[in-house]
Amino acid sequence: MDAFIIQGGRPLRGTVRVHGSKNASLPLMAAALLTQEAVTLRDVPDLADIRNMSKLLGSLGCKVEKDAADSDATNLHAHDWGPSLAHYDIVRTMRAGVCVLGPLLAARGQAKVSMPGGCAIGDRPVDLHIRGLKALGARVRLEGGYIIAEVPDGGTGGGAASKERGRLRGAHVFLGGPNGSTVLGTANVMSAATLAEGVTVIECAACEPEVEDLADMLNSMGAKITGAGTPRVTIEGVDRLHGTDHTVIPDRIEAGTYVIAAAITNGAVTLENFPTRDLTAFLDRLAVCGVTMEAADYAKGDAVGPAFATRGRGDTCDDDSASSGPADAAPADPRDTTPGLEPRPGRPAVRHPGRRDTARVAMQRRLCPVHVVTQPHPGFPTDLQAQLMALLTLADGNSIITEKIFPDRFLHVAELLRMGADCIRSGPTVLVSGVRDLVGAPVMASDLRASAGLVLAGLAARGTTTINRVYHLDRGYERMETTLRGLGAQIERVDVAGV
Ligand code: EPU
């Protein structure tokens, strides 16, 4: 089994290009099941989860292959509309396998998809997915660990365009749950509704950028979706969808992880293909910590920062640390962000944050503590909670992190303690008291983002950190050790038998 060995304490310097988003790519790939025409996706990252999704789609009659002439392009072609079984053996390795449910049901009239089950970050129910599909008229039952869904009078395998088959029907669907909306549930219901008869309105839809990207791709396939990226999404059903060529949005979580890698090592890193607009709450919290971040226009290459942040060397921490959430990121004066309007005298012009920016992160001072609450988008993302915690272990004072999406997503805490961090957990909240130094230790990766947090801690720690079970990391970060080495980190992948 692979492990990382890190010699910490080296400031990272250089340039990284952010890859296409894993969590956007997975539902986009599943959406290729909605058409019998070819779909091309660009900038799909090369990750274990993507390979698993390719395997799952292959078992569902959808060929997935890298374009021989263009290494950036992945071609998907659902040539055989017969199969509708997403087997446990594949779905158990990757929870996102559940996002074939909506497309299969809408296109083929039936789907038998393994219940994904829980994982290290929590129970991860799928009740909202099922509620949404039932609202569209599907018959759904659970049997032998599988979700079995059918369109009444459907399942003839002839495609939704076929006159004889049943279709889902548009409906008013509410997708709110105890912890907010559901990202993959919204993807499932939205995808299914594209081929339904009539209009579907999803209330309390997930607003994550990955949902917006899926809607953009579906619209380019002939769907009629409005409001994606807001809590109300409207889908006017169409008879059929056609092929498309779509570029995946950059991975906001990978981007945020490398921002922290620069900050935690007191480095200076330039990030290309940086989705500034998708990271507002994250960048707001980092600004309060004292991490300097500048964004420049990607297309033109002209610097127009500072976009966020704002402290310099020698500044002291202030009571900003008690605030939380996206509301704090809102500009004080709309003239500061509205393109075309003059900035207030004495203030820098702040440009509209883009999705493919070039951003520079620099860190040259002690960190200030912050109060962070993870929330659905545009709040602080749960997928960056472990990484931020690693950073805050080195802040000057007490930080508070509350996890509102997956209240048990704290397996990294015990491992950070092994490295000398001072954290106390009480239910969904962790008090992180900053220490002067972290010290290298052998630690165990437990899930994808916890592993990323441990790598970041290892980069900052004195001495050697060994991170076991990095296969979790390979699910979501493309060749992370190569990227970090390119920035000057001392990190090796080794094969450690039996750990
Ligand atoms: N929930 C329900 N019922 C449902 C579905 C979800 O109660 O039917 C609850 C969950 O238990 C959780 C909350 O709703 O408390 C949000 O879960 P959501 O359904 O939004 O999560 P997901 O769609 O399964 C995606 C990402 C996760 C990310 C979450 C939250 C993918 C492939 N996965 O999962 O990413 O943490 O949204 O933003 O898109 C990761 O990349 O490391 C990762 C775990």
Side-chain angles (χ1 to χ4, degrees), residues 21-24 26-27 49 94-99 116 119 121-131 175-187 206 208 210 251-253 375-377 381-384 387 403-407 409 447-450 475-477:
S21 160
K22 165 183 88 79
N23 287 350
L26 294 166
D49 272 12
M94 177 201 46
R95 215 195 106 82
V98 76
C99 61
C119 67
I121 67 173
D123 294 343
R124 314 204 61 185
V126 287
D127 56 308
L128 298 171
H129 301 232
I130 292 173
R131 186 204 291 179
L175 285 185
N179 301 329
S181 189
T182 161
V183 178
L184 291 180
T186 302
E208 271 65 8
E210 295 76 20
D251 195 314
R252 63 195 167 106
I253 307 303
Q375 289 169 330
H377 192 76
T382 173
D383 292 344
L384 283 168
Q387 300 90 316
E403 177 55 70
K404 289 243 174 135
I405 307 295
F406 296 113
R409 194 177 202 178
D447 72 79
L448 168 54
R449 308 303 173 186
R475 289 186 38 226
Y477 293 90

